[in-house]
mmCIF file of all heavy atoms in Angstrom:
data_model
loop_
_atom_site.group_PDB
_atom_site.id
_atom_site.type_symbol
_atom_site.label_atom_id
_atom_site.label_comp_id
_atom_site.label_asym_id
_atom_site.label_seq_id
_atom_site.Cartn_x
_atom_site.Cartn_y
_atom_site.Cartn_z
ATOM 1 N N GLN A 538 -9.178 -10.569 -8.212
ATOM 2 C CA GLN A 538 -8.265 -9.419 -8.713
ATOM 3 C C GLN A 538 -9.096 -8.153 -8.531
ATOM 4 O O GLN A 538 -10.309 -8.172 -8.665
ATOM 5 C CB GLN A 538 -7.862 -9.615 -10.095
ATOM 6 C CG GLN A 538 -6.971 -10.883 -10.219
ATOM 7 C CD GLN A 538 -6.376 -10.993 -11.590
ATOM 8 O OE1 GLN A 538 -6.705 -10.226 -12.506
ATOM 9 N NE2 GLN A 538 -5.540 -11.992 -11.856
ATOM 10 N N ASP A 739 -15.653 -31.917 -14.781
ATOM 11 C CA ASP A 739 -17.063 -31.560 -14.849
ATOM 12 C C ASP A 739 -17.961 -32.665 -15.141
ATOM 13 O O ASP A 739 -19.189 -32.516 -15.173
ATOM 14 C CB ASP A 739 -17.256 -30.374 -15.806
ATOM 15 C CG ASP A 739 -16.539 -30.577 -17.123
ATOM 16 O OD1 ASP A 739 -15.833 -31.610 -17.242
ATOM 17 O OD2 ASP A 739 -16.625 -29.773 -18.035
ATOM 18 N N ARG A 761 -1.843 -32.270 -20.462
ATOM 19 C CA ARG A 761 -1.744 -32.756 -19.075
ATOM 20 C C ARG A 761 -0.426 -33.299 -18.778
ATOM 21 O O ARG A 761 -0.026 -33.156 -17.583
ATOM 22 C CB ARG A 761 -2.838 -33.754 -18.834
ATOM 23 C CG ARG A 761 -4.225 -33.203 -18.790
ATOM 24 C CD ARG A 761 -5.274 -34.233 -18.380
ATOM 25 N NE ARG A 761 -6.613 -33.620 -18.401
ATOM 26 C CZ ARG A 761 -7.665 -34.320 -18.066
ATOM 27 N NH1 ARG A 761 -7.576 -35.547 -17.742
ATOM 28 N NH2 ARG A 761 -8.852 -33.729 -18.115
ATOM 29 N N HIS A 818 7.340 -14.806 -16.846
ATOM 30 C CA HIS A 818 7.329 -16.149 -17.380
ATOM 31 C C HIS A 818 8.415 -16.336 -18.398
ATOM 32 O O HIS A 818 8.697 -17.504 -18.732
ATOM 33 C CB HIS A 818 5.943 -16.455 -18.046
ATOM 34 C CG HIS A 818 4.811 -16.249 -17.083
ATOM 35 N ND1 HIS A 818 4.637 -16.986 -15.922
ATOM 36 C CD2 HIS A 818 3.805 -15.325 -17.129
ATOM 37 C CE1 HIS A 818 3.622 -16.562 -15.294
ATOM 38 N NE2 HIS A 818 3.024 -15.580 -15.956
ATOM 39 N N ALA A 870 1.736 -1.932 -5.699
ATOM 40 C CA ALA A 870 1.268 -0.664 -5.357
ATOM 41 C C ALA A 870 1.255 0.247 -6.639
ATOM 42 O O ALA A 870 0.438 1.196 -6.694
ATOM 43 C CB ALA A 870 2.214 -0.028 -4.371
ATOM 44 N N SER A 886 3.015 -22.297 -10.280
ATOM 45 C CA SER A 886 1.957 -22.981 -11.044
ATOM 46 C C SER A 886 2.614 -23.871 -12.154
ATOM 47 O O SER A 886 3.699 -23.503 -12.726
ATOM 48 C CB SER A 886 1.131 -21.915 -11.702
ATOM 49 O OG SER A 886 0.359 -22.562 -12.669
ATOM 50 N N TYR A 888 1.023 -24.518 -14.793
ATOM 51 C CA TYR A 888 0.158 -24.281 -15.993
ATOM 52 C C TYR A 888 1.030 -23.920 -17.242
ATOM 53 O O TYR A 888 0.648 -24.397 -18.335
ATOM 54 C CB TYR A 888 -0.731 -23.099 -15.647
ATOM 55 C CG TYR A 888 -1.698 -22.749 -16.744
ATOM 56 C CD1 TYR A 888 -2.914 -23.361 -16.768
ATOM 57 C CD2 TYR A 888 -1.485 -21.746 -17.679
ATOM 58 C CE1 TYR A 888 -3.863 -23.062 -17.780
ATOM 59 C CE2 TYR A 888 -2.367 -21.397 -18.681
ATOM 60 C CZ TYR A 888 -3.532 -22.050 -18.692
ATOM 61 O OH TYR A 888 -4.469 -21.752 -19.668
ATOM 62 N N ARG A 889 2.036 -23.154 -17.109
ATOM 63 C CA ARG A 889 2.708 -22.578 -18.229
ATOM 64 C C ARG A 889 3.913 -23.373 -18.651
ATOM 65 O O ARG A 889 4.584 -22.967 -19.650
ATOM 66 C CB ARG A 889 3.167 -21.150 -17.965
ATOM 67 C CG ARG A 889 2.011 -20.173 -18.013
ATOM 68 C CD ARG A 889 2.507 -18.772 -17.643
ATOM 69 N NE ARG A 889 1.446 -17.851 -18.151
ATOM 70 C CZ ARG A 889 0.319 -17.603 -17.512
ATOM 71 N NH1 ARG A 889 0.009 -18.254 -16.438
ATOM 72 N NH2 ARG A 889 -0.536 -16.733 -17.991
ATOM 73 N N VAL A 890 4.188 -24.560 -18.075
ATOM 74 C CA VAL A 890 5.364 -25.270 -18.474
ATOM 75 C C VAL A 890 5.136 -25.915 -19.828
ATOM 76 O O VAL A 890 4.121 -26.692 -19.979
ATOM 77 C CB VAL A 890 5.733 -26.294 -17.376
ATOM 78 C CG1 VAL A 890 6.894 -27.087 -17.801
ATOM 79 C CG2 VAL A 890 6.005 -25.618 -16.072
ATOM 80 N N TYR A 1004 -12.838 -25.925 -10.478
ATOM 81 C CA TYR A 1004 -12.865 -26.083 -11.968
ATOM 82 C C TYR A 1004 -14.016 -25.235 -12.524
ATOM 83 O O TYR A 1004 -15.129 -25.294 -11.998
ATOM 84 C CB TYR A 1004 -12.977 -27.533 -12.287
ATOM 85 C CG TYR A 1004 -12.782 -27.876 -13.689
ATOM 86 C CD1 TYR A 1004 -11.504 -27.990 -14.210
ATOM 87 C CD2 TYR A 1004 -13.811 -27.920 -14.575
ATOM 88 C CE1 TYR A 1004 -11.290 -28.284 -15.534
ATOM 89 C CE2 TYR A 1004 -13.654 -28.184 -15.929
ATOM 90 C CZ TYR A 1004 -12.380 -28.338 -16.404
ATOM 91 O OH TYR A 1004 -12.158 -28.606 -17.703
ATOM 92 N N ARG B 753 -8.502 -15.386 -16.203
ATOM 93 C CA ARG B 753 -7.878 -14.898 -17.392
ATOM 94 C C ARG B 753 -6.406 -15.273 -17.487
ATOM 95 O O ARG B 753 -5.815 -15.335 -18.530
ATOM 96 C CB ARG B 753 -8.000 -13.348 -17.383
ATOM 97 C CG ARG B 753 -9.361 -12.882 -17.639
ATOM 98 C CD ARG B 753 -9.509 -11.348 -17.502
ATOM 99 N NE ARG B 753 -9.212 -11.011 -16.124
ATOM 100 C CZ ARG B 753 -8.838 -9.756 -15.750
ATOM 101 N NH1 ARG B 753 -8.768 -8.859 -16.714
ATOM 102 N NH2 ARG B 753 -8.594 -9.475 -14.456
ATOM 103 N N ASP B 754 -5.783 -15.508 -16.359
ATOM 104 C CA ASP B 754 -4.297 -15.827 -16.305
ATOM 105 C C ASP B 754 -4.147 -17.339 -16.684
ATOM 106 O O ASP B 754 -3.178 -17.656 -17.363
ATOM 107 C CB ASP B 754 -3.693 -15.579 -14.961
ATOM 108 C CG ASP B 754 -3.698 -14.120 -14.681
ATOM 109 O OD1 ASP B 754 -3.491 -13.358 -15.578
ATOM 110 O OD2 ASP B 754 -3.887 -13.739 -13.489
ATOM 111 N N GLU B 755 -5.085 -18.167 -16.156
ATOM 112 C CA GLU B 755 -4.836 -19.618 -16.434
ATOM 113 C C GLU B 755 -6.179 -20.214 -16.848
ATOM 114 O O GLU B 755 -6.809 -21.021 -16.157
ATOM 115 C CB GLU B 755 -4.346 -20.303 -15.136
ATOM 116 C CG GLU B 755 -3.073 -19.730 -14.647
ATOM 117 C CD GLU B 755 -2.330 -20.684 -13.707
ATOM 118 O OE1 GLU B 755 -2.929 -21.586 -13.142
ATOM 119 O OE2 GLU B 755 -1.146 -20.439 -13.430
ATOM 120 N N PRO B 756 -6.690 -19.853 -17.993
ATOM 121 C CA PRO B 756 -7.950 -20.402 -18.466
ATOM 122 C C PRO B 756 -7.838 -21.858 -18.737
ATOM 123 O O PRO B 756 -6.744 -22.353 -19.047
ATOM 124 C CB PRO B 756 -8.213 -19.679 -19.786
ATOM 125 C CG PRO B 756 -6.925 -19.168 -20.244
ATOM 126 C CD PRO B 756 -6.066 -18.879 -18.979
ATOM 127 N N GLU B 759 -8.629 -27.159 -21.728
ATOM 128 C CA GLU B 759 -9.475 -28.314 -22.119
ATOM 129 C C GLU B 759 -10.943 -27.865 -22.347
ATOM 130 O O GLU B 759 -11.502 -28.282 -23.340
ATOM 131 C CB GLU B 759 -9.395 -29.398 -20.976
ATOM 132 C CG GLU B 759 -8.051 -30.017 -20.971
ATOM 133 C CD GLU B 759 -7.962 -30.927 -19.727
ATOM 134 O OE1 GLU B 759 -8.921 -31.436 -19.286
ATOM 135 O OE2 GLU B 759 -6.802 -31.071 -19.171
ATOM 136 N N GLU B 760 -11.381 -27.035 -21.426
ATOM 137 C CA GLU B 760 -12.767 -26.577 -21.655
ATOM 138 C C GLU B 760 -12.861 -25.782 -22.948
ATOM 139 O O GLU B 760 -13.833 -25.841 -23.738
ATOM 140 C CB GLU B 760 -13.182 -25.588 -20.521
ATOM 141 C CG GLU B 760 -13.388 -26.256 -19.159
ATOM 142 C CD GLU B 760 -14.669 -27.090 -19.254
ATOM 143 O OE1 GLU B 760 -15.740 -26.489 -19.407
ATOM 144 O OE2 GLU B 760 -14.552 -28.324 -19.163
ATOM 145 N N ASP B 777 2.009 -15.103 -23.316
ATOM 146 C CA ASP B 777 2.658 -16.349 -23.133
ATOM 147 C C ASP B 777 1.706 -17.543 -23.262
ATOM 148 O O ASP B 777 2.127 -18.753 -23.185
ATOM 149 C CB ASP B 777 3.372 -16.475 -21.779
ATOM 150 C CG ASP B 777 2.511 -15.947 -20.658
ATOM 151 O OD1 ASP B 777 1.647 -15.073 -20.872
ATOM 152 O OD2 ASP B 777 2.557 -16.501 -19.552
ATOM 153 N N ARG B 781 0.441 -22.401 -26.573
ATOM 154 C CA ARG B 781 -0.493 -23.390 -26.125
ATOM 155 C C ARG B 781 -1.827 -23.315 -26.852
ATOM 156 O O ARG B 781 -2.304 -24.332 -27.323
ATOM 157 C CB ARG B 781 -0.794 -23.139 -24.596
ATOM 158 C CG ARG B 781 0.080 -23.927 -23.658
ATOM 159 C CD ARG B 781 -0.209 -25.386 -23.770
ATOM 160 N NE ARG B 781 0.935 -26.207 -23.538
ATOM 161 C CZ ARG B 781 1.356 -26.480 -22.323
ATOM 162 N NH1 ARG B 781 0.707 -26.060 -21.298
ATOM 163 N NH2 ARG B 781 2.408 -27.171 -22.149
ATOM 164 N N GLN B 894 0.803 6.630 -10.164
ATOM 165 C CA GLN B 894 0.432 6.824 -8.775
ATOM 166 C C GLN B 894 1.108 8.039 -8.199
ATOM 167 O O GLN B 894 2.343 8.189 -8.394
ATOM 168 C CB GLN B 894 0.873 5.592 -7.997
ATOM 169 C CG GLN B 894 0.376 5.556 -6.618
ATOM 170 C CD GLN B 894 0.325 4.118 -6.162
ATOM 171 O OE1 GLN B 894 -0.668 3.644 -5.768
ATOM 172 N NE2 GLN B 894 1.486 3.492 -6.217
ATOM 173 N N SER B 901 -2.897 19.623 -5.177
ATOM 174 C CA SER B 901 -2.944 21.042 -4.762
ATOM 175 C C SER B 901 -2.417 21.947 -5.879
ATOM 176 O O SER B 901 -2.659 23.146 -5.838
ATOM 177 C CB SER B 901 -2.099 21.236 -3.521
ATOM 178 O OG SER B 901 -0.722 21.020 -3.871
#
Side-chain angles (χ1 to χ4, degrees):
Chain A
Q538 296 187 356
D739 47 357
R761 289 185 184 180
H818 303 297
S886 168
Y888 184 86
R889 284 179 161 77
V890 179
Y1004 191 84
Chain B
R753 290 174 296 160
D754 294 325
E755 302 195 347
E759 291 173 28
E760 287 292 295
D777 49 324
R781 266 291 149 82
Q894 192 157 235
S901 68

